[in-house]
Amino acid sequence: MEALVISNFLLWGVILCLVLAILALSRQIGVLYERVAPMGALTMDKGPAVGEPAPRFELPDLQGRRVAIGAGGAQSQLLFFLSPTCPVCKKLLPILKSVAGTESRWLRIVLASDGEMPEHLAFYRQAGLERFPYVLSAELGMKFQISKLPYAVLIDETGALRAKGLVNSREQLESLFTAKELGVASVQDFLAGGAMDEMRVSREENGNALAG
């Protein structure tokens, strides 16, 4: 009888140790998830808010074609703000060309900047950007309150602003598309919301386990 009692105590001790180990592992997994979570485009809290109608413009591009911005249509529109003197912008040009091909079914890319026409025209030709509309407008940048480059704004088919942010990599650029698909302002908001939900569920499960 005494041996049975001792074995029960040992068994419960082992179970308690396992529960503590699982909780510790769960916490470490959460920390690791935060560290490796995809880094979305950095949203600047300026300019039109996500979900609002985008400002509307009709501007000539470098080839004299009229380009409607924010008017909606059959495709979403990605405004990519850049500069001929921005090294990160130049690094992203091959990625933009690739995205323009893979996402052509639903997306149209428009390059935007401001400054003197000759400088931009030389950059436009040297970089092989003839496939993209390229508009020059200080007012456009001010309307979206662009302060850092490269910056991208995604406008959906209805003319509503769906995502925006500072982009330094393909991952950050594509995070705008992901945000649109998920219906959130940014990937960071989605991850933060998901983390809060997981914490809430974990607390509820722990509370139910203790009650049981």
Side-chain angles (χ1 to χ4, degrees):
M1 181 67 180
E2 184 177 352
L4 181 61
V5 171
I6 293 174
S7 64
N8 281 336
F9 273 114
L10 290 174
L11 180 61
W12 279 108
V14 170
I15 292 173
L16 180 60
C17 289
L18 288 173
V19 170
L20 292 175
I22 290 171
L23 291 175
L25 285 172
S26 298
R27 183 177 181 279
Q28 289 302 315
I29 290 172
V31 171
L32 181 62
Y33 173 76
E34 290 180 357
R35 289 178 178 173
V36 301
M39 177 62 71
L42 178 61
T43 302
M44 315 294 285
D45 293 329
K46 296 179 180 179
V50 172
E52 293 182 354
R56 292 193 175 191
F57 287 83
E58 187 172 340
L59 302 166
D61 72 355
L62 295 184
Q63 298 188 48
R65 300 168 299 191
R66 303 299 295 180
V67 180
I69 294 172
Q75 294 175 299
S76 290
Q77 190 175 64
L78 180 74
L79 290 181
F80 188 83
F81 291 87
L82 76 170
S83 166
T85 59
C86 168
V88 180
C89 300
K90 294 178 181 178
K91 182 190 76 172
L92 290 178
L93 292 180
I95 295 172
L96 278 178
K97 293 176 182 178
S98 173
V99 168
T102 58
E103 310 296 335
S104 60
R105 182 181 58 82
W106 68 276
L107 183 70
R108 185 188 188 208
I109 297 175
V110 176
L111 306 180
S113 191
D114 62 4
E116 298 299 323
M117 172 76 77
E119 178 187 15
H120 287 276
L121 193 55
F123 169 64
Y124 180 70
R125 290 170 176 167
Q126 182 179 3
L129 300 176
E130 289 83 358
R131 69 186 298 181
F132 300 107
Y134 191 129
V135 299
L136 296 179
S137 171
E139 185 182 357
L140 180 65
M142 287 189 291
K143 200 70 174 181
F144 284 98
Q145 296 193 30
I146 306 301
S147 59
K148 294 183 180 180
L149 298 174
Y151 201 87
V153 176
L154 183 62
I155 302 169
D156 71 10
E157 295 82 357
T158 68
L161 198 156
R162 281 300 157 212
K164 61 179 180 176
L166 190 67
V167 292
N168 293 312
S169 66
R170 186 183 192 114
E171 181 184 48
Q172 291 181 331
L173 180 63
E174 291 183 344
S175 73
L176 301 179
F177 310 152
T178 303
K180 177 179 181 290
E181 292 172 0
L182 295 174
V184 296
S186 69
V187 170
Q188 290 96 326
D189 287 351
F190 176 75
L191 292 175
M196 293 298 292
D197 290 341
E198 289 177 4
M199 290 174 62
R200 176 180 56 78
V201 171
S202 178
R203 286 197 297 267
E204 290 177 354
E205 289 177 348
N206 290 337
N208 292 336
L210 291 174

